[in-house]
Amino acid sequence: SLEMVASAINEVEGVSAYIMTFSGAGQPYRIVVQSDETGTENAITIDTSGLTGVGDPIMVARTQTAADASLTINGIGITSGTNYLDEVLPGLSMTITEASGVPFDLLVSVDTTATVDSVTAIVDSYNEIVNFYNAQTVYDPDSGMRGDLVGETGARRVMDGLSGTISSGYGLTGIYDSLAAIGITTNTSDGTLSIDTDKLTDSLNTSFDDVMALFTSEDGPMATLRADIDGLYVDEDSGT
């Protein structure tokens, strides 16, 4: 049966098959066979010469020829088995969606919106820790309500250390030496962080690399914060 043929084809690595129903008179079914991967290196060939049996011969029709994506960048021809090109240009990934037919300029710019969103997520995560601590250090003598961390000097020292790491200045080589310089400041009332997205965006547009240094440099606040947390909570032997 067609179902058995399609099932047998699906057992072959790299190809898949399914049965299509259409309105052709007398022969309403077709087996569609396709490669699981794109590009000329993944083209498939069907040889029916070894098939025997009673009935009409099997007819094979190619409806789509395997092809590579082809483009020219700065006069250099490039081909790819997929429409996704990674690192053809350093640090840049591209997805080809259609043929232009004519040359065009490719403008590459920093996605500051995505960067601001990522920094905001870091600030939000830090504030979750601070808010949890604040909630656990509430003490109300009238009602007798007492948080689990009330009087815990160790927890207080930890939070003071994290706050100091966040608010300190760092001797980086760029034009920004602290998180406050790019719009991230500490609220004195509760220890949470606030982020001035306009100032952060302006900083990214002025010197993207210098902003990134605050988050990626081994001598910056984020690396220092990670080291502080690892020193407090990570077991040196197990790594947990």
Side-chain angles (χ1 to χ4, degrees):
S1 67
L2 291 179
E3 288 83 1
M4 295 176 63
V5 174
S7 178
I9 293 174
N10 284 325
E11 294 297 322
V12 179
E13 184 178 358
V15 298
S16 57
Y18 63 91
I19 298 173
M20 176 182 289
T21 303
F22 75 114
S23 58
Q27 295 180 326
Y29 304 106
R30 296 288 189 272
I31 293 180
V32 179
V33 183
Q34 59 190 16
S35 173
D36 294 336
E37 302 292 338
T38 59
T40 56
E41 290 186 357
N42 297 294
I44 59 176
T45 301
I46 299 177
D47 182 3
T48 62
S49 61
L51 297 178
T52 61
V54 179
D56 296 332
I58 294 178
M59 304 298 293
V60 178
R62 186 182 301 277
T63 59
Q64 179 68 52
T65 301
D68 289 334
S70 177
L71 69 157
T72 302
I73 300 179
N74 290 337
I76 301 174
I78 297 170
T79 59
S80 171
T82 72
N83 286 342
Y84 178 74
L85 303 175
D86 187 27
E87 295 298 329
V88 172
L89 298 175
L92 180 65
S93 299
M94 297 181 290
T95 299
I96 303 172
T97 58
E98 61 181 312
S100 66
V102 295
F104 63 91
D105 294 329
L106 178 64
L107 177 63
V108 180
S109 60
V110 175
D111 187 351
T112 55
T113 300
T115 305
V116 169
D117 289 343
S118 297
V119 173
T120 300
I122 295 174
V123 170
D124 289 343
S125 296
Y126 179 86
N127 286 343
E128 287 182 11
I129 297 174
V130 175
N131 288 330
F132 175 81
Y133 173 79
N134 291 341
Q136 299 303 313
T137 53
V138 172
Y139 174 63
D140 185 352
D142 295 331
S143 65
M145 183 177 67
R146 180 186 179 90
D148 293 337
L149 296 180
V150 171
E152 291 290 338
T153 57
R156 178 68 266 172
R157 285 197 299 269
V158 169
M159 296 307 299
D160 288 344
L162 296 180
S163 177
T165 298
I166 290 293
S167 59
S168 294
Y170 294 82
L172 302 179
T173 58
I175 61 176
Y176 306 118
D177 64 352
S178 68
L179 293 177
I182 62 172
I184 302 174
T185 56
T186 302
N187 297 312
T188 57
S189 59
D190 60 5
T192 58
L193 298 179
S194 292
I195 179 169
D196 184 338
T197 56
D198 290 337
K199 187 173 183 178
L200 176 58
T201 300
D202 289 342
S203 301
L204 289 167
N205 290 330
T206 300
S207 182
F208 182 86
D209 290 343
D210 288 343
V211 174
M212 288 299 98
L214 287 171
F215 294 93
T216 60
S217 172
E218 294 182 357
D219 299 321
M222 292 298 103
T224 303
L225 183 64
R226 175 63 182 269
D228 290 344
I229 294 174
D230 287 348
L232 288 168
Y233 300 113
V234 177
D235 186 277
E236 293 182 357
D237 296 325
S238 66
T240 60

